[in-house]
Amino acid sequence: MLLALAYLAAFLALPPLLLGIVNRVKSRFAGREGPPPWQLYADLARLLRKGAVYSRTTTWVFRAGPVVGLAAVATAGLLTPFGGAPAAIGFAGDFVLFAYLLGLARFFTVLAALDTGSSFEGMGAAREVTFSSLAEPALFLCLMTLARATGSLSLGGMFGPALPLAWGRAAPALLLTAIALFVVALAENARIPVDDPNTHLELTMIHEVMVLDHSGPDLALILYGASLKLFLFGALFVRLVLGFPVEGLAGLAMFLAGLAGFAALVGVIESIMARLRLVRVPQLLVGASVLSAFGLVLLLR
């Protein structure tokens, strides 16, 4: 019980640090000192102390977007197994609810962007839903491959005790799945090479353009929700690659070290790669779907 609470506390407290590690690695690659890894905590505290500014053209939808988005991602975290601990909530087919909770968060973010009436935010919303429609099939194919390999239809079973045995008899399929899941993680979290969270160039923005009109506590909720989402995908990737579960404090330490490695890997990729042209992004996401489909075919043959 105490260990499960420790994992839950890590899920709620550590996601901003994960983004800090990504930015720290990018700074070191650029030869700069960069902000400290805990910079996002200070940013969130500063934003929460400020007031929000709302345009007279917006409605309750604009205010509800950040709240629903954060609540949906946090609820998805209850379905996710962390480290050696089982998920707080688990049932057969919960991976469908997991995917659609993330979809619900994206849906309300898009609605809030459209509610501003800005053609600029509408452009970003259109790009977001277009690329998401290509990332979701890849995510489902990854989870279906894991379901086939482990014989379980729940996230806890897919990433649970059956996973090490699955690596022993289906390593090539799971390796393809891990690569595809990492690409999906980059796309879902608007990271390079799909999107650049630091860009503000009008013609290249995707996700960031949808949150430009948010301020104060609303922007803090969006930034915190984005860090939670990166933590979720990092947790799934780490458990898949490391073949968990390792129980006890050793499992918790191994899980946290794996997450730090995941964040460092994202930082390295963002440092050595350029962002893809928008017309190339669908090819990358379709490639991720093909990789996971090959993995599934290897298991079905």
Side-chain angles (χ1 to χ4, degrees), residues 57-92:
T57 63
T58 58
T59 66
W60 65 270
V61 175
F62 183 78
R63 293 169 173 80
V67 177
V68 175
L70 176 60
V73 175
T75 306
L78 298 178
L79 301 171
T80 308
F82 299 119
I89 302 173
F91 52 87

Side-chain angles (χ1 to χ4, degrees), residues 164-192:
L165 299 176
W167 270 106
R169 61 176 182 273
L174 294 184
L175 180 60
L176 293 175
T177 303
I179 296 172
L181 184 61
F182 187 73
V183 173
V184 172
L186 295 177
E188 288 280 351
N189 290 282
R191 311 301 306 190
I192 292 175

Side-chain angles (χ1 to χ4, degrees), residues 95-108:
F95 69 94
V96 177
L97 178 59
F98 173 84
Y100 281 99
L101 282 171
L102 299 183
L104 177 65
R106 181 183 306 110
F107 178 68
F108 267 85

Side-chain angles (χ1 to χ4, degrees), residues 43-199:
D43 293 340
L44 293 176
R46 174 175 51 81
L47 289 170
L48 288 174
R49 289 195 298 269
K50 291 187 173 182
V53 178
Y54 298 107
S55 167
R56 284 174 294 183
T57 63
T58 58
T59 66
W60 65 270
V61 175
F62 183 78
R63 293 169 173 80
V67 177
V68 175
L70 176 60
V73 175
T75 306
L78 298 178
L79 301 171
T80 308
F82 299 119
I89 302 173
F91 52 87
D94 59 2
F95 69 94
V96 177
L97 178 59
F98 173 84
Y100 281 99
L101 282 171
L102 299 183
L104 177 65
R106 181 183 306 110
F107 178 68
F108 267 85
T109 302
V110 169
L111 281 184
L114 295 176
D115 193 51
T116 63
S118 165
S119 57
F120 187 31
E121 299 209 21
M123 178 185 66
R127 291 174 177 173
E128 175 86 0
V129 296
T130 300
F131 295 143
S132 297
S133 67
L134 298 173
E136 283 185 358
L139 175 61
F140 272 112
L141 282 169
C142 288
L143 296 176
M144 288 170 62
T145 305
L146 287 168
R148 176 68 180 178
T150 59
S152 174
L153 291 176
S154 70
L155 286 174
M158 294 178 197
F159 296 91
L163 186 57
L165 299 176
W167 270 106
R169 61 176 182 273
L174 294 184
L175 180 60
L176 293 175
T177 303
I179 296 172
L181 184 61
F182 187 73
V183 173
V184 172
L186 295 177
E188 288 280 351
N189 290 282
R191 311 301 306 190
I192 292 175
V194 176
D195 195 7
D196 185 355
N198 296 321
T199 185

Side-chain angles (χ1 to χ4, degrees), residues 242-253:
L242 298 185
F244 271 100
V246 177
E247 297 181 352
L249 292 177
L252 177 61

